[in-house]
Amino acid sequence: MINSQIFPYLLALSAFLFTVGATGVLVRRNPLVVFMCIELMLNAANVALVAFGRFLNSEEGQIFAFMVIVVAAAEVVVGLALITQVFRLGRELDVDELSELSEETDLVTQQ
Amino acid sequence: MTVLLGAAMVLAAIAGLGVVLSRQTIYSALSLVATIVMISVIFLLLNAQFLFAVQIIIYAGAVMVLFVFIIALLSPDAEDRPALDVRSVIGLIAIVAITVVVFVTARNGITFSGNTFRGQAIGSASNPYHAFSYPVDAVNASGNVQNTAGQLFTTFLLPFEITSLLLLVAVIGAVYLTRRGAQSR
């Protein structure tokens, strides 16, 4: 069976995937890729939840991971609907260009 | 089994990097599919058979098909690779630092208000004061799906019902956002 020595590595994998996802959200400009990176972060949280549940002999980690999957599905539905609407408005798919809701002094033109 | 788990973890990390580093959006999506499949393998090896199936069906089946459909619909251009400037270097240092800190903390332990948490101790000892303690043998005897469903429909019934409400809100929101009359101008 699974050696319990691997538990710290599972937590490290979870932290790694979460940080990669957070970096992607900050670095990438395509909103679709940004959403995929959010999915990556949610999956990283799921890995940590299931690992804790497995090594604490508890089922609750899996229940919480299930809830996280439901939340991720709902988030994708609304987010992709928003992206489609932005595309319908004829805008470029670039999160740096979408600054209609910001104030007059937007950061993009200042640079 | 442990070797298989380690291989799945390495592949998940590599594919996760591919999500961020790919220039083409469709390659990012395919890397995310690979990550999700590898994470589902990790779930299976960690005795979460129900989540294994849910991960494959919901994520790789539904969510990623939706993503690929939207990518095919919008056909976004390839993005320039982000230049290796100060922000990227800080991001890379953050990735490495956070991973190392979590690994060292989980391995060597952290003392917090008198209690020492240690990943290996958690791994080797079960939790005696835990109300829903499920040893692996018991889970294998009665079945993971049965246990999960039992918990889901008794202890966590209210959160489960709230998730159904959340899905309803998401469906209504998606229909509202994409309705045809929204752009009639």
Side-chain angles (χ1 to χ4, degrees):
Chain A
M1 286 308 291
I2 300 296
N3 191 348
S4 67
Q5 300 278 327
I6 207 163
F7 178 62
Y9 295 92
L10 279 166
L11 288 189
L13 172 74
S14 170
F16 177 79
L17 285 180
F18 188 90
T19 323
V20 166
T23 313
V25 169
L26 295 176
V27 169
R28 296 302 298 263
R29 296 194 307 275
N30 191 328
L32 286 164
V33 181
V34 169
F35 264 99
M36 284 184 223
C37 291
I38 293 173
E39 294 299 309
L40 196 62
M41 290 158 76
L42 289 165
N43 268 295
N46 277 349
V47 170
L49 283 170
V50 172
F52 269 112
R54 164 69 177 79
F55 290 108
L56 284 171
N57 286 338
S58 164
E59 287 272 302
E60 288 161 359
Q62 299 178 25
I63 306 278
F64 282 123
F66 177 71
M67 303 290 178
V68 170
I69 288 175
V70 173
V71 170
E75 171 243 332
V76 161
V77 166
V78 176
L80 288 180
L82 278 173
I83 292 175
T84 326
Q85 277 307 100
V86 167
F87 186 77
R88 263 209 212 161
L89 281 168
R91 298 288 155 74
E92 197 180 354
L93 280 181
D94 190 335
V95 290
D96 287 344
E97 302 291 330
L98 297 171
S99 57
E100 277 79 14
L101 290 181
S102 71
E103 294 184 25
E104 290 294 320
T105 59
D106 58 330
L107 297 171
V108 179
T109 52
Q110 273 186 350
Q111 280 177 354
Chain B
M1 294 282 272
T2 308
V3 175
L4 197 56
L5 182 56
M9 285 163 63
V10 170
L11 286 175
I14 293 172
L17 275 177
V19 176
V20 178
L21 296 180
S22 303
R23 286 188 65 222
Q24 301 279 349
T25 314
I26 188 72
Y27 292 160
S28 287
L30 292 179
S31 296
L32 188 56
V33 170
T35 315
I36 283 165
V37 170
M38 283 304 135
I39 286 176
S40 74
V41 170
I42 293 172
F43 285 171
L44 184 62
L45 293 173
L46 288 179
N47 259 14
Q49 287 91 349
F50 175 64
L51 274 187
F52 162 74
V54 165
Q55 181 93 353
I56 294 285
I57 293 171
I58 303 286
Y59 262 118
V63 170
M64 290 318 295
V65 165
L66 196 60
F67 261 112
V68 173
F69 183 75
I70 295 291
I71 289 169
L73 184 70
L74 304 185
S75 64
D77 300 330
E79 187 177 325
D80 291 338
R81 198 179 292 276
L84 195 67
D85 55 357
V86 182
R87 286 194 302 177
S88 309
V89 173
I90 291 174
L92 287 174
I93 291 173
I95 291 174
V96 175
I98 292 175
T99 309
V100 168
V101 165
V102 169
F103 175 69
V104 168
T105 308
R107 196 173 169 78
N108 297 335
I110 179 173
T111 303
F112 180 70
S113 67
N115 298 315
T116 301
F117 298 109
R118 193 151 176 254
Q120 289 175 345
I122 289 175
S124 56
S126 63
N127 200 348
Y129 51 82
H130 204 270
F132 311 103
S133 190
Y134 281 97
V136 174
D137 296 336
V139 172
N140 284 340
S142 60
N144 173 261
V145 179
Q146 284 86 342
N147 274 327
T148 311
Q151 289 285 310
L152 209 53
F153 287 107
T154 56
T155 314
F156 297 98
L157 184 60
L158 183 62
F160 184 70
E161 296 295 335
I162 291 173
T163 55
S164 70
L165 192 66
L166 175 73
L167 285 174
L168 182 66
V169 169
V171 167
I172 292 173
V175 170
Y176 175 77
L177 283 171
T178 54
R179 76 191 197 282
R180 190 164 292 276
Q183 290 307 306
S184 60
R185 64 193 174 106

